[in-house]
């Protein structure tokens, strides 16, 4: 049965911002702590204060927005992610056969593991920042199950209830992701491999030391089942359609080289690799976006037209464009694998570090922050001096008068 209303995801606001839409108004900073990885903040604000669009709660770590949720979660439901890429990650629940065990590298706000756990999928999470875990637990309803004997945060109990009364399955490990992977199952107190491993590590940049063939091989050999799926989220440019705009394709050839490098590294390890954009390839083709790589040692992945076939009724019958259900239903049509294959033929890049020139790094960083500045109050984004504790913030610069934009 369809539940209304359905919310369009955060990408709608990004599109409005890029096209000159108004910047949202900041309301409250709920949480702020210094960490080894930058300031961790939880911020509530209105997307569009002049209408009834629900506000967002953002989780920021350093220079990155690592998670978000609608403030009216009780009304719109936990299955509606504020980020389209997270909605696509959640759609792994529709993989056939349905996964039983998932390992997620990078917690963010806990949107994906919480959703999957409610679907009775056991999700273990690895997160390096204790402040991010604390913020996710307090402000995003993430429930962490831990075990002191495994060196984690606090003692937990199996089958601890989630806020909605269902059962939480999975542990939270406070660890560097690569070190965790290298330590292996047994040293981490685990015994069974995973049906899905999700890699969503991001700190305002793609951590290249986690995106190479050696790490990918460790995941394939030690952490995934023989039919297991590796899901990798990568912020990057994609090759434009050369037949539609050859000039743009030529101009962006160097910008897409990191994406091509990751694709080639995955192909050197996995028998099957596919890549999808979180929105259609022709939407903002010159801007970076979240790219979702799917890789497996099983070639079945190549035979599946829809990697995660969604239902055809209810919320999926006619979902609004740019809503989470729309992204889950249609993301298989946003595939860019053939474009990456064509781009791969033009060069022989072997690893991401080879492709990350200063020019490419700057373009990707600027593109990412251009998207963020469209939704996130710029003065607040670049300043660590904030008013904490539920009091309204003052002197938030408008988009027309923002020193941070000039600095960027």
């Amino acid at each position: 049965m369809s539940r209304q209303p359905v919310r369009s995801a955060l990408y709608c606001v990004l599109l409005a911002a890029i096209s000159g839409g108004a910047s949202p108004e900041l309301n409250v900073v709920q949480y702020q702590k210094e960490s080894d990885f930058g300031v961790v903040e939880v911020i509530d604000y209105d997307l569009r204060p002049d209408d009834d669009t629900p506000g967002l709660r953002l989780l920021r770590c350093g220079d990155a927005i690592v998670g978000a949720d609608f403030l009216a979660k009780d009304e719109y439901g936990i299955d509606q992610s504020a980020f389209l890429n997270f909605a696509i990650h959640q759609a792994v629940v529709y993989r056939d056969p349905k996964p039983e065990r998932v390992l997620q590298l990078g917690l963010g706000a806990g949107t994906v593991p919480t959703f999957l756990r409610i679907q009775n999928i056991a999700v273990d999470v690895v997160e390096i920042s204790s402040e991010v875990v604390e913020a996710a637990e307090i402000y995003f309803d993430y429930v962490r199950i831990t075990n002191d004997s495994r060196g984690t945060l606090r003692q937990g109990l199996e089958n601890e209830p989630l806020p909605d009364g269902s059962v939480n399955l999975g542990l939270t490990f406070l660890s560097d992701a690569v070190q965790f992977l290298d330590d292996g199952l047994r040293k981490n107190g685990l015994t069974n491999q995973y049906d899905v491993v999700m890699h969503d590590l991001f700190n305002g940049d793609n951590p290249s030391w986690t995106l190479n063939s050696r790490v990918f091989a460790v995941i394939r050999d030690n952490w995934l089942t023989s039919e297991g799926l590796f899901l990798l989220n990568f912020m990057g440019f994609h090759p434009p359609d050369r037949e539609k705009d050859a000039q743009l394709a030529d101009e962006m050839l160097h910008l897409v080289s990191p994406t091509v490098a990751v694709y080639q590294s995955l192909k050197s390890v996995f028998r099957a690799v596919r890549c999808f954009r979180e929105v259609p390839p022709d939407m903002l083709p010159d801007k970076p976006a979240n790219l979702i790589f799917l890789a497996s040692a099983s070639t079945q992945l190549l035979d599946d037209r829809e990697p995660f076939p969604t239902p055809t009724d209810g919320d999926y019958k006619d979902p609004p464009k740019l809503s989470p259900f729309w992204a889950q239903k249609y993301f298989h049509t946003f595939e860019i694998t053939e474009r990456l294959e064509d781009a791969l033929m033009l060069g022989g890049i072997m690893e991401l570090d080879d492709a990350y020139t200063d020019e490419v790094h700057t373009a990707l960083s600027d593109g990412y922050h251009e998207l963020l500045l469209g939704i996130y109050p710029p003065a607040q984004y670049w300043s660590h001096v904030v008013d904490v504790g539920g009091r309204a913030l003052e002197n938030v610069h408008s988009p027309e008068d923002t020193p941070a934009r000039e600095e960027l």
Side-chain angles (χ1 to χ4, degrees):
M1 181 176 181
S2 178
R3 185 194 65 254
Q4 295 293 332
V6 175
R7 303 314 316 176
S8 293
L10 196 56
Y11 214 90
C12 287
V13 186
L14 300 180
L15 292 173
I18 292 173
S19 62
S23 184
E25 296 181 358
L26 179 65
N27 289 336
V28 177
V29 174
Q30 296 281 10
Y31 174 97
Q32 183 192 57
K33 274 192 177 182
E34 292 280 354
S35 77
D36 293 338
F37 313 97
V39 175
V40 176
E41 291 179 336
V42 176
I43 301 174
D44 295 349
Y45 70 89
D46 290 333
L47 281 174
R48 299 168 184 157
D50 56 343
D51 63 25
D52 62 352
T53 302
L56 275 183
R57 172 165 288 173
L58 288 181
L59 177 58
R60 167 199 171 194
C61 181
D63 285 345
I65 302 298
V66 297
D69 209 346
F70 293 112
L71 289 175
K73 182 186 293 188
D74 292 342
E75 180 178 357
Y76 299 113
I78 197 170
D79 54 348
Q80 295 199 57
S81 170
F83 284 143
L84 290 184
N85 62 313
F86 292 158
I88 295 171
H89 298 181
Q90 290 174 340
V92 75
V93 70
Y94 298 119
R95 179 170 165 80
D96 185 21
K98 178 181 176 181
E100 296 181 359
R101 287 173 49 78
V102 172
L103 175 66
Q104 177 162 323
L105 307 176
L107 172 63
T111 304
V112 176
T114 297
F115 171 81
L116 295 179
R117 287 169 173 177
I118 289 176
Q119 311 301 318
N120 290 319
I121 297 175
V123 185
D124 292 335
V125 177
V126 181
E127 170 58 49
I128 196 171
S129 170
S130 61
E131 292 81 10
V132 167
V133 176
E134 180 180 69
E137 185 177 30
I138 296 174
Y139 293 99
F140 294 90
D141 294 332
Y142 178 72
V143 178
R144 55 179 175 180
I145 302 299
T146 59
N147 186 320
D148 288 342
S149 65
R150 301 182 186 181
T152 48
L153 297 174
R154 63 173 175 82
Q155 184 176 3
L157 300 174
E158 294 293 339
N159 299 329
E160 182 175 344
L162 281 169
D164 68 346
S166 61
V167 172
N168 181 21
L169 303 170
L171 298 171
T172 303
F173 296 88
L174 188 63
S175 174
D176 173 81
V178 175
Q179 184 63 56
F180 181 88
L181 293 172
D182 286 342
D183 285 344
L185 286 164
R186 185 171 300 179
K187 190 171 182 178
N188 287 297
L190 301 168
T191 56
N192 298 319
Q193 293 176 312
Y194 293 88
D195 302 306
V196 178
V197 173
M198 294 185 175
H199 181 303
D200 189 22
L201 303 172
F202 188 72
N203 58 1
D205 197 358
N206 295 300
S208 59
W209 61 94
T210 73
L211 298 166
N212 56 64
S213 55
R214 187 198 72 81
V215 173
F216 298 158
V218 169
I219 291 172
R220 178 199 63 190
D221 296 338
N222 301 336
W223 293 91
L224 279 173
T225 63
S226 60
E227 301 290 322
L229 179 73
F230 179 45
L231 185 154
L232 168 63
N233 197 96
F234 182 80
M235 173 63 70
F237 294 94
H238 74 289
D241 188 337
R242 181 168 292 276
E243 292 185 0
K244 291 183 177 180
D245 195 336
Q247 181 178 349
L248 179 62
D250 288 337
E251 292 174 351
M252 294 189 61
L253 191 59
H254 66 295
L255 296 179
V256 304
S257 57
T259 306
V260 178
V262 171
Y263 175 64
Q264 179 158 310
S265 294
L266 286 168
K267 285 192 64 175
S268 71
V269 174
F270 293 95
R271 296 178 64 193
V273 180
R274 298 172 69 179
C275 185
F276 307 83
R277 204 162 178 252
E278 63 181 330
V279 290
D282 294 334
M283 180 181 290
L284 301 177
D286 60 338
K287 303 294 182 183
N290 285 293
L291 307 177
I292 295 91
F293 286 93
L294 302 181
S296 177
S298 169
T299 57
Q300 180 63 40
L301 175 64
L302 301 176
D303 298 331
D304 295 333
R305 176 176 173 271
E306 298 182 40
F308 312 143
T310 60
T312 57
D313 57 357
D315 291 317
Y316 295 98
K317 184 176 182 180
D318 188 22
K321 187 175 183 179
L322 294 175
S323 70
F325 302 117
W326 173 87
Q328 292 174 342
K329 181 174 182 177
Y330 294 112
F331 90 92
H332 68 279
T333 67
F334 310 155
E335 186 164 6
I336 59 170
T337 307
E338 289 188 6
R339 297 190 189 186
L340 292 177
E341 192 66 33
D342 291 342
L344 185 61
M345 301 300 293
L346 300 177
I349 299 169
M350 289 304 296
E351 298 290 358
L352 180 60
D353 284 337
D354 299 327
Y356 253 145
T357 64
D358 290 342
E359 181 183 3
V360 171
H361 185 278
T362 299
L364 181 58
S365 178
D366 287 356
Y368 170 69
H369 287 99
E370 179 184 351
L371 293 177
L372 287 185
L373 288 173
I375 61 164
Y376 196 96
Q380 198 59 35
Y381 184 82
W382 296 104
S383 173
H384 294 170
V385 181
V386 294
D387 186 5
V388 185
R391 297 181 295 275
L393 294 167
E394 299 177 350
N395 301 322
V396 176
H397 294 293
S398 68
E400 293 76 24
D401 182 20
T402 306
R405 285 184 183 273
E406 297 176 1
E407 179 181 348
L408 176 64

